[in-house]
Amino acid sequence: MTHPDALLGRLVGGDPAAADQVRTAAADTRSVPVLVAAAVVTGSVEPLHRAAGLATTTRDRQLVALAEARLTAGDDVFDALVRDHLADYPDQLLAAWMAAREH
């Protein structure tokens, strides 16, 4: 399996094959960011249930909350959460990618 950071870098960078690879990787990964990406790519909250159970850091827990808001809440809620998250973690490319995707 591709290293999670490399896979997510390709996804964020627009590699068309990366979305399918994220879906496949989500089946057996313990990577919170990969599960979050899988949820956003598929539009399903199911991967977020696993991600929530694996998230041990504030950064990961916030990433799960961002994806959940992206999928289930209004744009205003997501926009406020992602701004706060990126203020704390400006290097979080996955959060920026979620913000840039059309809702």
Side-chain angles (χ1 to χ4, degrees), residues 7-98:
L7 177 57
L8 294 173
R10 290 185 19 249
L11 178 71
V12 169
D15 180 344
D20 285 336
Q21 292 173 349
V22 164
R23 284 185 201 96
T24 300
D28 62 358
T29 190
R30 295 187 56 78
S31 168
V32 171
V34 170
L35 290 166
V36 165
V40 174
V41 165
T42 63
S44 170
V45 295
E46 181 60 34
L48 294 180
H49 299 295
R50 284 191 39 228
L54 294 168
T56 59
T57 66
T58 300
R59 181 181 174 123
D60 281 350
R61 287 189 298 272
Q62 286 182 5
L63 194 59
V64 172
L66 280 177
E68 185 174 7
R70 179 75 171 126
L71 296 174
T72 64
D75 288 341
D76 292 344
V77 172
F78 174 75
D79 290 345
L81 290 174
V82 77
R83 273 194 309 271
D84 286 348
H85 182 78
L86 288 171
D88 291 339
Y89 305 103
D91 64 334
Q92 180 56 267
L93 294 179
L94 188 56
W97 173 79
M98 281 190 280

